[in-house]
C-alpha cells in the first residue's frame, strides 16, 4: 500500500521535468510503443536509477512498512497456508490469521480479479529502516514470513507471495508497468532521497522479478531495452546528477 505522495523538493521538480519521477499522471511521451501481457510500459523503468540490488542489511525492509494490497486469489492462497506461514513467524509477530488483513476491500482493475485487500500493519521496531510500523508478515530480521514459509516447504520463494511485494519498486498503475515513486520516496536506502548509490536502472535491477511476472512476454521488454539502451543510459546519467542533489 503506497504512501501518500509528498511535496516535491526543488531537486525533485527538476527530476520531474526530465521525466524521471512519476508524481503526476504518466505522460504519453514516456510510454513505450509496445505492450507486454496487455500492459503499457513506462520508459521510466529504463531511466530511473536504482541500487545494485535489494539489501535487507542496509534497508531493513523499509518497503514492507506499509503492507501491500493482495488480489482475491493471493488473499485466499495465503489463508490456505496459515500453518506453514505461522510456523515461519517469530515472537515479534502476530500469528492469529484473523489479524493478518485489514478487512477492507477496494476495487482496482490493476488486480486480476478487480478487487484487493491490504495486509495489516502493526507497530514494529523499525531498526535501520526508520519506520515504527511494518507489515504483519515482516519478521524481526526484516524477512517476509510468506517467502520464508514457501522456501521452507521446498517451493519457489515467491510461490505464495503477493505480486506487488515481489515487483517493488516496479508496480502497475492503470494498466501501465512503471516505477513506484510515491512509495520509494520515503525509503532511506534505495529511494531517491536515500543513502544508496544508483548504479543501474530499475529495469536492470529487477530482471528476475520482471521475468517471473511477464513470463514469455519478457523477451519483448528485453528487446526494446537493448534497442534503446544508449538513449536510456544517457537519460539515467542525467537523472543521477539530479539524485545527488536530493
Amino acid at each position: 500500500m503506497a504512501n501518500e505522495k509528498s511535496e516535491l523538493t526543488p531537486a525533485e521538480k527538476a527530476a520531474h521535468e526530465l521525466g524521471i519521477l512519476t508524481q503526476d499522471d504518466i505522460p504519453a511521451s514516456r510510454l513505450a510503443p509496445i505492450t507486454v501481457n496487455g500492459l503499457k510500459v513506462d520508459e521510466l523503468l529504463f531511466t530511473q536509477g536504482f541500487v545494485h540490488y535489494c539489501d535487507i542489511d542496509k534497508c531493513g525492509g523499509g518497503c514492507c512498512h506499509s503492507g501491500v494490497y493482495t488480489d482475491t486469489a493471493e488473499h485466499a492462497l495465503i489463508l490456505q497456508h496459515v500453518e506453514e506461514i505461522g510456523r515461519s513467524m517469530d515472537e515479534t509477530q502476530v500469528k492469529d490469521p484473523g489479524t493478518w488483513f485489514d478487512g477492507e476491500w477496494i476495487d482496482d482493475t490493476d488486480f486480476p480479479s478487480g478487487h484487493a485487500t491490504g495486509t495489516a500493519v502493526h507497530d514494529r521496531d523499525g531498526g535501520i529502516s526508520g519506520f515504527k510500523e511494518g507489515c504483519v508478515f515482516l519478521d524481526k530480521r526484516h524477512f517476509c514470513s510468506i517467502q520464508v514459509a514457501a522456501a521452507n516447504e521446498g517451493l519457489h520463494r515467491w510461490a505464495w507471495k503477493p505480486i506487488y511485494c515481489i515487483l517493488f519498486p516496479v508496480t502497475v498503475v492503470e494498466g501501465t508497468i512503471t516505477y513506484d515513486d510515491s512509495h520509494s520516496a520515503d525509503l532511506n536506502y534505495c529511494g531517491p532521497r536515500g543513502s544508496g548509490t544508483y548504479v543501474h536502472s530499475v529495469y536492470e535491477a529487477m530482471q528476475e522479478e520482471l521475468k517471473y511476472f511477464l513470463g514469455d512476454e519478457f523477451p519483448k521488454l528485453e528487446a526494446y531495452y537493448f534497442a534503446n539502451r544508449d538513449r536510456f543510459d544517457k537519460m539515467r546519467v542525467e537523472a543521477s546528477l539530479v539524485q545527488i542533489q536530493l
Side-chain angles (χ1 to χ4, degrees):
M1 293 175 284
N3 297 330
E4 292 295 323
K5 294 182 179 179
S6 56
E7 195 69 25
L8 294 182
T9 67
E12 287 171 326
K13 289 179 180 177
H16 181 58
E17 290 171 1
L18 287 171
I20 300 163
L21 298 177
T22 63
Q23 294 285 349
D24 298 322
D25 293 339
I26 300 169
S29 61
R30 219 170 60 203
L31 294 177
I34 62 168
T35 60
V36 286
N37 280 359
L39 299 170
K40 293 176 286 186
V41 177
D42 184 353
E43 290 191 347
L44 190 62
L45 290 178
F46 309 114
T47 60
Q48 171 64 42
F50 200 66
V51 294
H52 183 53
Y53 61 93
C54 293
D55 190 338
I56 293 295
D57 292 334
K58 293 181 180 178
C59 73
C63 60
C64 302
H65 78 94
S66 58
V68 70
Y69 280 115
T70 61
D71 183 68
T72 53
E74 294 172 332
H75 172 264
L77 183 62
I78 289 170
L79 293 181
Q80 287 172 15
H81 298 285
V82 165
E83 291 187 12
E84 298 97 321
I85 294 171
R87 286 197 300 268
S88 75
M89 289 178 156
D90 60 41
E91 72 280 2
T92 70
Q93 295 171 275
V94 181
K95 298 185 181 182
D96 176 5
T99 69
W100 287 359
F101 295 91
D102 63 19
E104 299 180 4
W105 288 88
I106 64 169
D107 297 327
D108 191 327
T109 56
D110 290 321
F111 291 86
S113 70
H115 307 286
T117 189
T119 59
V121 174
H122 292 217
D123 291 340
R124 309 280 298 164
D125 176 5
I128 60 175
S129 75
F131 295 108
K132 299 302 182 183
E133 61 182 14
C135 177
V136 67
F137 298 112
L138 186 67
D139 70 20
K140 64 183 179 182
R141 302 172 300 168
H142 312 298
F143 292 167
C144 173
S145 294
I146 300 174
Q147 181 167 319
V148 171
N152 286 344
E153 295 299 312
L155 302 174
H156 190 287
R157 65 188 185 280
W158 296 334
W160 305 333
K161 193 166 182 174
I163 191 61
Y164 288 117
C165 288
I166 298 168
L167 286 176
F168 184 81
V170 175
T171 190
V172 177
V173 178
E174 297 183 357
T176 302
I177 304 175
T178 186
Y179 167 67
D180 191 345
D181 66 308
S182 60
H183 195 166
S184 298
D186 293 334
L187 303 182
N188 62 14
Y189 175 63
C190 65
R193 301 175 187 171
S195 62
T197 301
Y198 285 173
V199 298
H200 51 196
S201 67
V202 168
Y203 167 81
E204 291 169 291
M206 304 301 292
Q207 294 278 290
E208 184 178 4
E209 291 81 0
L210 286 166
K211 289 176 182 177
Y212 184 86
F213 178 52
L214 296 174
D216 292 341
E217 289 277 279
F218 176 78
K220 185 189 295 186
L221 187 69
E222 183 178 48
Y224 184 76
Y225 166 72
F226 281 115
N228 295 274
R229 185 172 183 176
D230 289 346
R231 175 168 64 89
F232 294 147
D233 284 348
K234 181 180 179 181
M235 293 178 68
R236 185 170 60 79
V237 170
E238 292 175 350
S240 67
L241 295 177
V242 172
Q243 185 214 3
I244 292 173
Q245 305 173 49
L246 297 179

